[in-house]
Amino acid sequence: AQSVTQPDIHITVSEGASLELRCNYSYGATPYLFWYVQSPGQGLQLLLKYFSGDTLVQGIKGFEAEFKRSQSSFNLRKPSVHWSDAAEYFCAVGARGNTDKLIFGTGTRLQVFP
Amino acid sequence: EAQVTQNPRYLITVTGKKLTVTCSQNMNHEYMSWYRQDPGLGLRQIYYSMNVEATDKGDVPEGYKVSRKEKRNFPLILESPSPNQTSLYFCASSWGGRTDTQYFGPGTRLTVL
């Protein structure tokens, strides 16, 4: 069965600084990988996803993520954080095959200081 | 406007009193799903549906029921709520399942006393 770990519960950065949020997964093959963002009081919104092909994936709001098979990781990055990026970020893993389960990580809360 | 709506947004109830949380989407999506979000546990899938009259269990289905009689609606039913079902619930929909972009509703915060 697949699983996903987000090691950082809470991260604080200054506005304009770079950001990297970590995501590690466990799965026997290459899974489907996603990053979602949840703004306060809102539902989740998809930032980006990886299925196959180019391991560097571009998403919305200036985010990108890189799939590294050797490290079982799918870290989310942004070169310059804006105050509006303060939110909770979830990595999710979907198994390939005929099941439709999607496993979410426990989330990383991002705080941005001016 | 394309959206997923949930009602109610907030609900406080007592143990054993049956309740239904409604979910409706206006995007003609085939796939709908329910999640619960708990601190430190992230989102966990309760049930999902690939199409009308087709529902399947997610990771935490105990104590919940769902139905999919129409494509647009996917209600979550708690026949006999218990305090451990106090949580934040999200409904989501997509065109073709988990691998497609899922659109989430605003959430329903449920408290069971």
Side-chain angles (χ1 to χ4, degrees), chain B residues 9-17 19 21 35-44 46 60 62-64 76 78 80-90 107-113:
Chain B
R9 294 290 311 279
Y10 302 90
L11 179 60
I12 300 175
T13 189
V14 296
T15 298
K17 185 176 182 181
L19 66 92
V21 182
Y35 298 90
R36 60 177 290 174
Q37 183 179 19
D38 302 290
L41 296 177
L43 276 81
R44 293 177 292 168
I46 302 171
V60 288
E62 294 77 20
Y64 304 93
L76 179 70
L78 284 70
S80 182
S82 62
N84 65 11
Q85 293 178 297
T86 292
S87 187
L88 180 59
Y89 291 86
F90 287 101
T108 294
R109 185 165 293 281
L110 172 66
T111 301
V112 183
L113 302 175

Side-chain angles (χ1 to χ4, degrees), chain A residues 5-90:
Chain A
T5 302
Q6 293 180 247
D8 304 305
I9 297 172
H10 187 203
I11 285 182
T12 301
V13 299
S14 298
E15 191 169 20
S18 63
L19 172 71
E20 182 168 28
L21 301 182
R22 296 184 290 165
C23 173
N24 294 100
Y25 69 89
S26 174
Y27 185 60
T30 300
Y32 298 115
L33 295 161
F34 307 82
W35 274 101
Y36 280 85
V37 60
Q38 183 181 28
S39 298
Q42 304 293 317
L44 280 74
Q45 180 184 24
L46 181 71
L47 283 176
L48 47 80
K49 58 187 177 185
Y50 173 79
F51 290 170
S52 64
D54 192 348
T55 57
L56 185 62
V57 181
Q58 301 297 322
I60 62 172
K61 305 185 181 189
F63 285 93
E64 67 178 27
E66 186 171 12
F67 169 60
K68 292 186 177 180
R69 185 192 308 274
S70 61
Q71 298 176 18
S72 297
S73 69
F74 188 57
N75 294 349
L76 182 72
R77 301 194 295 246
K78 187 169 185 178
S80 178
V81 170
H82 188 262
W83 64 265
S84 60
D85 293 324
E88 188 149 22
Y89 292 80
F90 293 93

